[in-house]
C-alpha cells in the first residue's frame, strides 16, 4: 500500500472509530495489518477498539505487540495503563503512567490518572503530589482539582465549606457525564459528591436517576428515598420515586408519591377558578392517547383554572382493576383502564364528572403490536409480549395481540362503555379519531363537558404545546417512527397492516364489536 494511501486509510479508520462506526474501523485496521503486520498505528487503533468493546485480553496483547515494535510509544503506554486500570490492576496501571511521564513529563491527563490509581491504593501523599503536578501544568483542570479535594478530605484536611463546594462540583460533573451517555463515570462522580457531602439531596437524586437508567431499580429507589428524607417537599424527587415504585409493582406507594408530586409542583400556582367537581374520572383503554391526556391535565394552565391535580392509576387495569377506597377530593383520576362495571364500583365522594375515550379497536391492535415490539418501557407484561413477538411474522403477531387483548378484557371494556352511552348525564364518550383530526376542537368539547373554562389565549397555547409536531419535535403527523411512543398519530392505520385473514380473525374473536362501537369498514379488502 503506497504511503499516501496508507495515511489516508488510517485517517479514515480513526474517523470511523471516533464516530462510533466500530465494525468498519476494525475491518480497515485489520486490512492494514494483513499487509503491514507491524504497523504501529493500526495495532494501537485495533487495541483501542478492543478496549472500548470490553475485549480486554485482545486489547492487552495488541498494545504489547505495539510496544514490542516501538517501546517508547507514549499513546500505547497510556492506553495500556487505562487497560490495567479497567482490570483493577492498579500497580501495573501506575507503572504504565509513570513510564509515560518518564517519556513526556508535561501531560496533564497522565498525572491525573496516575494520582487516581495511587489514591485507590491508599498512596495518598503520592496522589496529592500527582494531582498538584497536574494543576501546576493546567490550573483549571477540574478533574484533578476534584480528585485532590477527595484525598484532602480523606486526610481530614478539607474545610466544611470546601466539602460542600467540591461536592456540588462533583455533582455537576456527574450531570455532564450522564448527558454524554457515560453512566459509569457519572455514578462515580455522584458517589464522590455524596462522600464529600452526605446531605446533598440533589446528588442522591441524580445517583438514583443514573442507577435507574442501568435498570438497578432497588438501589435507585434507595437513593430517591434518601433524597426525599433530606428534601421531603421536592416534587421531582416524589415523581422519581413513584416511577421506580411503579416498575417494582408497588402500586399504592407509587400512587401516593405521584399525588404528592402534583400537589407540591403546583401548590404555589395561583388558582383563578376552582372546578365545579370534587373529582374528574378519565376512563379509557390503553392506546387511546392516555399519555397525551396526562400531559394536558398536568399542565399548569389546567391546574390554574380547576385547582385539581392528577392522580394516575398505575396498575395494569381492565380485568385486573379493583378499587377499595374513594379517591381524595380535588383530583383528576387518570388514566383509569377500567370497564364500566368496575367504574361503577369506585367509591365516589361529592360531585364528579366522567369521560371515556374510545378508539377503533383494529387501530388499537396495530398500536399495541408496535408498542409491545419496539417502543414500550419493559415493565409488567411487555417483556413477555416482546419475546414472543420477536419470533412471529406480522400476521401472526397481530393475531397474537388480538388474543392477548381479548384475554385482558380490552374489547369487552370498550363494549361495556358503549352499551351504556347516554344513560348518565355526567358521563360522556369521546373518540380518539376526533382528537387526531383536531386537538383544539376535541379539547373544546371535552372541557365543555368538564366545565373547565380557560381564556382563549391560554387555551390556544395549551393546544399548541400538545400538538403532534410539538410532542415529536417536528415530525409530521402520519410520518412513522416505530421506536417512538407517538408512532404515527393517525386513524385508520389498521388498513395498512391487516390482511383478510387478520380481519377475519379479529371478527371471530370480537364478534359484532365494530358494529356496536359505530366504526365502519368491517368488510373484506378487494
Amino acid at each position: 500500500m503506497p504511503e499516501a494511501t496508507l495515511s489516508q486509510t488510517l485517517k479514515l479508520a480513526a474517523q470511523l472509530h471516533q464516530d462510533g462506526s466500530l465494525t468498519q474501523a476494525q475491518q480497515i485496521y485489520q486490512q492494514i495489518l494483513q499487509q503491514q503486520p507491524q504497523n504501529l498505528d493500526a495495532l494501537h487503533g485495533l487495541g483501542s477498539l478492543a478496549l472500548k468493546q470490553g475485549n480486554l485480553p485482545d486489547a492487552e496483547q495488541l498494545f504489547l505487540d505495539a510496544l514490542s515494535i516501538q517501546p517508547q510509544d507514549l499513546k500505547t503506554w497510556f492506553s495500556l495503563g487505562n487497560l490495567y486500570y479497567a482490570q483493577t490492576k492498579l500497580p501495573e496501571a501506575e507503572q504504565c503512567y509513570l513510564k509515560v511521564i518518564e517519556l513526556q513529563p508535561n501531560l496533564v491527563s497522565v498525572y491525573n490518572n496516575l494520582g487516581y490509581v495511587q489514591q485507590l491504593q491508599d498512596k495518598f501523599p503520592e496522589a496529592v503530589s500527582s494531582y498538584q503536578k497536574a494543576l501546576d501544568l493546567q490550573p483549571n483542570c477540574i478533574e484533578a482539582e476534584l480528585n485532590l479535594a477527595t484525598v484532602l478530605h480523606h486526610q481530614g484536611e478539607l474545610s466544611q465549606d470546601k466539602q460542600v463546594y467540591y461536592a456540588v462540583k462533583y455533582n455537576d460533573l456527574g450531570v455532564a457525564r450522564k448527558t454524554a451517555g457515560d453512566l459509569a463515570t457519572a455514578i462515580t462522580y455522584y458517589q464522590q459528591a455524596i462522600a464529600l457531602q452526605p446531605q446533598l439531596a440533589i446528588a442522591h437524586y441524580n445517583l438514583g436517576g443514573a442507577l435507574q437508567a442501568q435498570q438497578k431499580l432497588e438501589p435507585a429507589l434507595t437513593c430517591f428515598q434518601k433524597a426525599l428524607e433530606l428534601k421531603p417537599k421536592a416534587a421531582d424527587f416524589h415523581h422519581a420515586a413513584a416511577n421506580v415504585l411503579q416498575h417494582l409493582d408497588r402500586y399504592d406507594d407509587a400512587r401516593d408519591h405521584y399525588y404528592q408530586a402534583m400537589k407540591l409542583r403546583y401548590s404555589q400556582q395561583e388558582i383563578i377558578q376552582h372546578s365545579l367537581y370534587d373529582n374528574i374520572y378519565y376512563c379509557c383503554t390503553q392506546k387511546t392517547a392516555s399519555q397525551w391526556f396526562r400531559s394536558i391535565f398536568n399542565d399548569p394552565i389546567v391546574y390554574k383554572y380547576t385547582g385539581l391535580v392528577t392522580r394516575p392509576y398505575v396498575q395494569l387495569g381492565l380485568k385486573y382493576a379493583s378499587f377499595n377506597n374513594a379517591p381524595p377530593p380535588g383530583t383528576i383520576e387518570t388514566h383509569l383502564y377500567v370497564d364500566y362495571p368496575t367504574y361503577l364500583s369506585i367509591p365516589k365522594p361529592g360531585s364528579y364528572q366522567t369521560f371515556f375515550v374510545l378508539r377503533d379497536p383494529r387501530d388499537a391492535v396495530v398500536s399495541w403490536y408496535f408498542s409491545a415490539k419496539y417502543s414500550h418501557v419493559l415493565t409488567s407484561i411487555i417483556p413477555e409480549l416482546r419475546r414472543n413477538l420477536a419470533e412471529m411474522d406480522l400476521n401472526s403477531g397481530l393475531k397474537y395481540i388480538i388474543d392477548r387483548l381479548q384475554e385482558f378484557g380490552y374489547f369487552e371494556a370498550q363494549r361495556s362503555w358503549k352499551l351504556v352511552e347516554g344513560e348518565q348525564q355526567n358521563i360522556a364518550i369521546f373518540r380518539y379519531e376526533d382528537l387526531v383530526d383536531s386537538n383544539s376542537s376535541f379539547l373544546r368539547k371535552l372541557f365543555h363537558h368538564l366545565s373547565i373554562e380557560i381564556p382563549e389565549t391560554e387555551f390556544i397555547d395549551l393546544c399548541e404545546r400538545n400538538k403532534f409536531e410539538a410532542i415529536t419535535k417536528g415530525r409530521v403527523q402520519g410520518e412513522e417512527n416505530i421506536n417512538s411512543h407517538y408512532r404515527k398519530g393517525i386513524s385508520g392505520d389498521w388498513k395498512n397492516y391487516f390482511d383478510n385473514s387478520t380481519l377475519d380473525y379479529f371478527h371471530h374473536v370480537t364478534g359484532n364489536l365494530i358494529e356496536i362501537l359505530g366504526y365502519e369498514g368491517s368488510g373484506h379488502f378487494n
Side-chain angles (χ1 to χ4, degrees), residues 470-523:
I471 295 170
T472 60
K473 303 188 186 313
R475 184 156 49 89
V476 178
Q477 198 166 345
E479 181 181 332
E480 185 175 41
N481 179 356
I482 61 173
N483 295 310
S484 169
H485 181 77
Y486 296 94
R487 180 181 62 91
K488 210 168 188 179
I490 62 173
S491 57
D493 195 38
W494 66 272
K495 297 174 185 176
N496 297 315
Y497 298 99
F498 276 36
D499 62 13
N500 282 330
S501 69
T502 310
L503 191 59
D504 283 341
Y505 192 75
F506 174 85
H507 289 307
H508 170 73
V509 171
T510 64
N512 62 347
L513 180 64
I514 292 297
E515 265 181 62
I516 289 174
L517 300 184
Y519 289 103
E520 298 179 355
S522 58

Side-chain angles (χ1 to χ4, degrees), residues 35-201:
Q35 298 183 41
Q36 297 186 10
Q38 294 192 325
N39 186 283
L40 187 66
D41 291 324
L43 284 168
H44 181 269
L46 206 55
S48 298
L49 276 175
L51 176 58
K52 189 169 186 177
Q53 293 169 329
N55 189 349
L56 303 187
D58 282 359
E60 181 178 10
Q61 187 58 57
L62 286 161
F63 291 145
L64 292 173
D65 289 346
L67 288 172
S68 69
I69 297 168
Q70 177 49 272
Q72 310 299 312
D73 188 60
L74 290 175
K75 64 181 181 181
T76 302
W77 278 113
F78 186 59
S79 296
L80 187 60
N82 293 339
L83 167 69
Y84 287 140
Y85 165 71
Q87 294 176 311
T88 64
K89 295 180 178 179
L90 302 180
E92 291 88 341
E94 182 179 6
Q95 290 306 309
C96 289
Y97 295 141
L98 287 170
K99 181 65 177 180
V100 176
I101 290 169
E102 176 189 322
L103 296 168
Q104 173 54 269
N106 295 316
L107 297 175
V108 175
S109 60
V110 182
Y111 280 106
N112 185 57
N113 286 20
L114 174 62
Y116 194 63
V117 297
Q118 289 169 334
Q119 175 185 334
L120 292 176
Q121 297 175 84
D122 294 338
K123 295 181 176 181
F124 297 117
E126 294 92 334
V128 169
S129 176
S130 296
Y131 292 141
Q132 194 58 63
K133 182 62 178 178
L135 289 168
D136 289 342
L137 292 168
Q138 184 181 322
N140 64 345
C141 180
I142 184 63
E143 291 88 351
E145 183 183 0
L146 290 172
N147 287 335
L148 177 59
T150 299
V151 174
L152 293 176
H153 172 61
H154 185 274
Q155 294 179 315
E157 299 176 11
L158 199 66
S159 70
Q160 181 62 35
D161 288 345
K162 286 291 187 180
Q163 289 177 40
V164 175
Y165 172 79
Y166 285 119
V168 172
K169 288 284 188 182
Y170 263 125
N171 178 71
D172 292 344
L173 207 56
V175 171
R177 293 317 307 158
K178 185 184 179 188
T179 302
D182 185 0
L183 286 175
T185 304
I187 287 170
T188 298
Y189 285 141
Y190 294 140
Q191 290 169 335
Q192 294 280 26
I194 292 167
L196 285 171
Q197 182 49 255
Q199 306 304 305
L200 189 61

Side-chain angles (χ1 to χ4, degrees), residues 24-42:
Q24 292 173 272
Q26 184 179 39
Q27 290 172 347
I28 294 175
Y29 286 134
Q30 289 171 337
Q31 288 170 2
I32 294 171
L33 289 173
Q34 285 176 358
Q35 298 183 41
Q36 297 186 10
Q38 294 192 325
N39 186 283
L40 187 66
D41 291 324

